[in-house]
Amino acid sequence: MKLQRKNMLRASALGALVVSGALVLTACGSDDNTKTADGSAKPSAAAAGDIKCDDAKGKLLASGSSAQKNAIELWIKNYMAACSGVEVNYKSSSSGEGIVAFNQGTVGFAGSDSALKPEQVEESKKICTGGQGIDLPMVGGPVALGFNVAGVDKLNLDAATIANIFNDKIKKWDDEAIKKLNPGVTLPSTAIQAFHRSDDSGTTENVTKYLKAAAPDAWPHEAAKKWAAPGGQAASGSAGVAAQVKQVDGAIGYFELSFASAQGIKTVDLNTGAAAPVKATGENASKAIAAAKVSGTGSDLALKLDYTTKAEGAYPLVLVTYEVVCDKGNKAETLPTVKSFLNYAASDAGQKVLLENGYAPIPAEINTKVREVINTLG
């Protein structure tokens, strides 16, 4: 079965599990052949082989990045099927909201598409008694540029053209700059409807880092979680932007690839200067992430990405989602669950789930360090 269809079916099944805006996955599957006699879900092969529940118990709250929503849904489903008596609740909101919740002490960990800023680390020391917040890279993947232009099934764009589209400089789909990149394609004079995130977003920060690095002359704004360019329309979360692109003719927007796959949204191929434009796939994102370097110190494993790579088949518009935790000073009642759950996410089976769903696993060398740090959390 094709990946797109698998993701569409999976997204449909998992959508029913969203309760009051928060993700609460129970131990119940949606198909009879996935259930035990008492109605609870059978653990998947991944859960059975790689999940160590240890002393995990009770409820673990987490929140943040919507870009990792589809990955963490699957992790939680497998984890809770294997560990009875444990509830993991992840509220998919935004990286900014996740960091705020973490530094207020209301969640055991936060998901963020960008590493902690120095002032956020300093603030975390109030919650992490005797320690501080650190970044653990857990999910990688391409940020897709989804488009909806009637009659156009394939679209190539380069960084400068993307910057001018989102900077309200290119206003029609038949603009000469777009035509030049798409010879032989009949482009309509439809007005471009560019959608961006309304909330502070790590995905936005990664997109603007890419534009700032790859097209500095066309993108005068600083890279940031908050959208700064004029014009365009705003929507909340990756899901909100994807929904608008799906509905509006002439639309373009950015979101994690699985949102495009789940809704059948066409995605832009990036002209990076390589021999051929590069598609947004987990494999192609992995080629770009593999060149990342650890820029954090001590237990912090923040990564520095190369947004300007021209390597063949490397898709440079990528993000890495971090799980933000205390290195020391975690709450005693949730620490065992935090370590157990994150150990599964960083396991070979947990990372394999990513590749199967359009994400990019964290490179093995870095992931080994992630596991080592998880085991030292206190």
Side-chain angles (χ1 to χ4, degrees):
M1 185 179 293
K2 295 182 178 179
L3 177 61
Q4 178 174 328
R5 179 169 174 77
K6 287 174 67 180
N7 283 335
M8 291 175 67
L9 294 173
R10 183 177 290 110
S12 175
L14 290 172
L17 299 174
V18 178
V19 180
S20 302
L23 174 66
V24 184
L25 291 175
T26 67
C28 295
S30 59
D31 300 316
D32 289 342
N33 63 358
T34 65
K35 296 179 181 178
T36 60
D38 65 358
S40 61
K42 295 177 181 178
S44 69
D50 280 68
I51 295 177
K52 297 180 180 179
C53 303
D54 296 327
D55 297 322
K57 60 183 177 181
K59 180 183 290 188
L60 172 62
L61 301 179
S63 69
S65 164
S66 63
Q68 72 169 5
K69 171 182 177 289
N70 295 333
I72 208 164
E73 281 181 345
L74 295 169
W75 282 341
I76 292 175
K77 180 180 181 181
N78 283 350
Y79 182 79
M80 288 178 56
C83 299
S84 61
V86 181
E87 180 181 314
V88 181
N89 179 319
Y90 183 82
K91 181 181 178 181
S92 173
S93 51
S94 69
S95 298
E97 291 180 54
I99 297 302
V100 169
F102 178 77
N103 280 338
Q104 289 176 342
T106 60
V107 295
F109 70 89
S112 177
D113 304 335
S114 57
L116 291 167
K117 301 286 191 295
E119 61 271 20
Q120 293 171 329
V121 174
E122 192 61 32
E123 187 178 356
S124 73
K125 294 178 181 178
K126 300 174 184 176
I127 298 300
C128 305
T129 307
Q132 64 182 43
I134 58 172
D135 304 287
L136 299 178
M138 204 71 70
V139 181
V143 180
L145 291 164
F147 70 95
N148 179 2
V149 183
V152 179
D153 293 322
K154 182 176 175 56
L155 187 66
N156 300 326
L157 295 175
D158 60 15
T161 306
I162 294 164
N164 285 326
I165 287 172
F166 281 99
N167 212 23
D168 207 28
K169 296 289 182 66
I170 295 178
K171 301 177 182 292
K172 300 282 188 178
W173 279 110
D174 61 352
D175 188 276
E176 288 302 320
I178 302 177
K179 283 184 176 180
K180 185 177 180 180
L181 293 165
N182 295 275
V185 177
T186 302
L187 293 162
S189 60
T190 307
I192 294 174
Q193 306 287 337
F195 286 90
H196 58 265
R197 291 280 291 271
S198 60
D199 45 337
D200 286 2
S201 159
T203 308
T204 294
E205 184 169 13
N206 280 277
V207 169
T208 54
K209 281 181 177 178
Y210 163 73
L211 294 175
K212 188 70 175 176
D217 293 338
W219 190 257
H221 316 288
E222 292 302 315
K225 287 187 174 74
K226 187 175 182 63
W227 187 258
Q233 302 178 60
S236 179
S238 294
V241 175
Q244 291 298 315
V245 172
K246 177 73 173 178
Q247 295 168 11
V248 178
D249 183 28
I252 186 171
Y254 58 87
F255 31 81
E256 189 277 325
L257 179 61
S258 67
F259 288 90
S261 301
Q263 298 191 48
I265 298 172
K266 290 166 286 195
T267 62
V268 170
D269 294 350
L270 290 184
N271 186 325
T272 65
V278 185
K279 294 185 179 297
T281 68
E283 291 86 351
N284 290 344
S286 288
K287 293 175 184 177
I289 295 173
K293 306 295 183 185
V294 175
S295 60
T297 58
S299 297
D300 188 277
L301 298 177
L303 300 178
K304 181 175 178 59
L305 299 167
D306 180 6
Y307 296 100
T308 63
T309 180
K310 294 179 174 60
E312 296 300 325
Y315 185 87
L317 181 45
V318 296
L319 61 77
V320 169
T321 291
Y322 301 94
E323 310 310 338
V324 177
V325 295
C326 296
D327 57 356
K328 302 295 178 186
N330 290 279
K331 293 179 181 178
E333 62 269 26
T334 56
L335 177 59
T337 307
V338 168
K339 294 175 71 172
S340 173
F341 177 73
L342 294 183
N343 263 319
Y344 165 58
S347 71
D348 289 341
Q351 291 293 296
K352 183 180 179 184
V353 166
L354 300 182
L355 191 57
E356 292 172 348
N357 291 277
Y359 291 91
I362 301 301
E365 181 181 350
I366 296 170
N367 198 42
T368 297
K369 296 177 182 178
V370 171
R371 297 177 195 175
E372 292 172 353
V373 172
I374 291 171
N375 291 327
T376 68
L377 299 179

